[in-house]
């Protein structure tokens, strides 16, 4: 396959010939390979290019629906940190704020059914438009707890933007207002999502491979 970096001949304003080593930011997809972590094998599922496309789409929807110029975005740590960083930059509203909260309900590859509130929200959200940023909504337990805790703080409104949503697993609360990808009830990792705190830094998303 042809490399991404190549030489381009062009004329500048003085009509002199120059050779420029240019990288046209052509998409050079890094080949995604299977990875094994903690004895489990994961296969490629969503590329970084597809993620970036959906982040842009969700950002445009969120921005379009905002009724005030100073919404507060609440990033749910740890899993949503990467999505929140990309989404928040794409939304690009100078009057907005970002805050952080940490709830935990997962251990290994399954929900424990219990909610651990590790870091609460200290920011004043009363009377404000709140948009919760989640990595993934699975059973909906975390999303429901987050919404009801924030609603108790008298905001103007509460909505949720999640990168991933497993509709078939939803048992609690409502469908998120903004969804990047709807996926089947499979365990995934990467782009912020972990397996026992590991692999959050992967640029792409991987799915747990079924045993043959
Ligand atoms: P829920 O409370 O069952 O909806 O689960 C939500 C939380 O569990 C998410 O915010 C994630 O932190 C974690 N989680 C759910 N599904 C997955 C997954 O497939 N991979 C990694 N973490 C997950
Ligand atoms: Mg989460």
């Amino acid at each position: 396959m042809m490399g991404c970096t190549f030489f381009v001949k062009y004329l500048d304003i003085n009509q002199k010939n120059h050779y420029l080593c240019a990288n046209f930011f052509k998409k050079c997809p890094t080949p995604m390979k299977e990875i094994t972590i903690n004895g489990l094998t994961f296969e490629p599922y969503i590329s970084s290019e597809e993620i970036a496309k959906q982040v842009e789409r969700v950002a445009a929807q969120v921005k379009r629906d905002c009724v005030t110029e100073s919404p507060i975005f609440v990033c749910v740590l740890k899993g949503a940190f990467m999505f929140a960083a990309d989404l928040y930059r794409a939304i690009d509203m100078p009057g907005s704020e970002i805050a952080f909260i940490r709830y935990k309900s997962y251990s290994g590859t399954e929900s424990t059914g219990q909610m651990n509130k590790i870091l609460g929200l200290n920011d004043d959200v009363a009377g404000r438009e709140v948009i919760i940023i989640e990595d993934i909504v699975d059973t909906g337990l975390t999303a429901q707890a987050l919404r009801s805790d924030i609603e108790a703080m008298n905001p103007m409104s509460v909505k949720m933007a999640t990168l991933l949503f497993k509709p078939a697993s939803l048992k609690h609360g409502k469908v998120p207002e903004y969804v990047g990808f709807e996926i089947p009830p499979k365990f995934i990792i990467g782009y912020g999502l972990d397996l026992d705190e590991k692999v959050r830094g992967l640029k792409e998303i991987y799915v747990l491979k079924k045993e043959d």
Side-chain angles (χ1 to χ4, degrees):
M1 206 218 277
M2 226 170 70
C4 288
T5 305
F6 50 93
F7 287 89
V8 181
K9 188 181 178 186
Y10 78 104
L11 290 174
D12 73 3
I13 44 166
N14 299 319
Q15 301 293 299
K16 277 203 261 161
N17 284 329
H18 287 262
Y19 283 90
L20 169 73
C21 180
N23 185 341
F24 274 80
F25 303 107
K26 263 182 125 184
K27 300 277 183 319
C28 290
T30 349
M32 291 170 71
K33 294 189 192 125
E34 280 188 4
I35 50 171
T36 300
I37 185 86
N38 289 3
L40 298 173
T41 304
F42 291 82
E43 58 190 0
Y45 194 47
I46 308 175
S47 69
S48 49
E49 288 80 12
E50 283 176 76
I51 296 171
K53 220 162 103 183
Q54 296 311 313
V55 169
E56 288 294 331
R57 180 184 58 78
V58 171
Q61 283 182 351
V62 171
K63 196 166 176 170
R64 183 201 59 206
D65 293 351
C66 279
V67 293
T68 66
E69 284 177 3
S70 51
I72 179 158
F73 293 90
V74 179
C75 164
V76 187
L77 296 172
K78 297 178 185 176
F81 81 99
M82 222 178 258
F83 175 48
D86 289 343
L87 187 76
Y88 190 60
R89 272 180 293 190
I91 290 171
D92 190 24
M93 286 178 74
S96 68
E97 285 174 39
I98 187 152
F100 300 89
I101 196 167
R102 184 168 177 216
Y103 283 25
K104 186 174 165 71
S105 65
Y106 242 68
S107 177
T109 61
E110 277 171 24
S111 172
T112 59
Q114 307 256 314
M115 184 57 50
N116 266 335
K117 296 176 189 174
I118 295 163
L119 173 71
L121 191 63
N122 297 318
D123 306 67
D124 188 9
V125 299
R128 302 187 57 187
E129 230 180 335
V130 178
I131 297 111
I132 302 168
I133 306 180
E134 254 292 29
D135 51 355
I136 186 162
V137 175
D138 181 20
T139 65
L141 188 70
T142 313
Q144 191 186 38
L146 284 161
R147 278 187 201 265
S148 73
D149 289 355
I150 293 175
E151 266 153 17
M153 298 166 90
N154 299 315
M156 188 180 103
S157 61
V158 182
K159 288 188 202 157
M160 176 166 291
T162 185
L163 179 67
L164 300 134
F165 174 43
K166 301 179 190 170
S169 305
L170 191 70
K171 291 195 193 91
H172 312 273
K174 54 196 248 187
V175 170
E177 284 79 359
Y178 307 101
V179 175
F181 300 89
E182 281 197 1
I183 60 165
K186 293 180 174 177
F187 185 75
I188 55 162
I189 54 163
Y191 193 69
L193 289 112
D194 71 313
L195 171 63
D196 287 334
E197 297 302 328
K198 298 194 178 98
V199 293
R200 292 193 194 274
L202 291 168
K203 295 185 184 69
E204 311 87 8
I205 292 174
Y206 292 76
V207 64
L208 183 61
K209 208 175 159 184
K210 273 218 321 246
E211 298 298 322
D212 296 321

